[in-house]
């Protein structure tokens, strides 16, 4: 599978608890923090759930 770089660009404050936990599960938590992960169906679903808080780039 390919790798993607996920960067948080918006705060998770005042978001539903499910979205906050998804951000934590992706390894994020602060604005402008980035992580590189292997893209698989589970990660893809997490990205879809919080796509309004993050930016995704292919590597």
């Amino acid at each position: 599978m390919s790798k993607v770089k996920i960067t948080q660009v918006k705060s998770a404050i005042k978001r539903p608890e499910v979205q906050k936990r998804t951000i934590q599960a992706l390894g994020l938590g602060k604005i402008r923090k980035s992580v590189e992960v292997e893209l698989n169906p589970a990660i893809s679903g997490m990205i879809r759930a919080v796509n309004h808080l993050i930016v995704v780039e292919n590597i």
Side-chain angles (χ1 to χ4, degrees):
M1 296 247 148
S2 63
K3 290 190 90 170
V4 292
K5 180 178 179 182
I6 304 170
T7 305
Q8 184 175 349
V9 293
K10 288 190 177 179
S11 175
I13 295 173
K14 290 191 177 181
R15 301 292 177 181
E17 188 65 29
V18 173
Q19 292 179 8
K20 290 179 184 181
R21 290 182 186 219
T22 303
I23 289 288
Q24 287 179 345
L26 287 170
L28 303 170
K30 293 186 178 185
I31 296 175
R32 295 193 184 142
K33 184 171 182 184
S34 297
V35 293
E36 293 180 8
V37 294
E38 287 287 327
L39 188 60
N40 59 41
I43 296 294
S44 181
M46 286 192 244
I47 289 171
R48 236 178 290 122
V50 292
N51 65 351
H52 55 287
L53 304 176
I54 60 175
V55 170
V56 181
E57 303 169 18
N58 288 327
I59 297 180

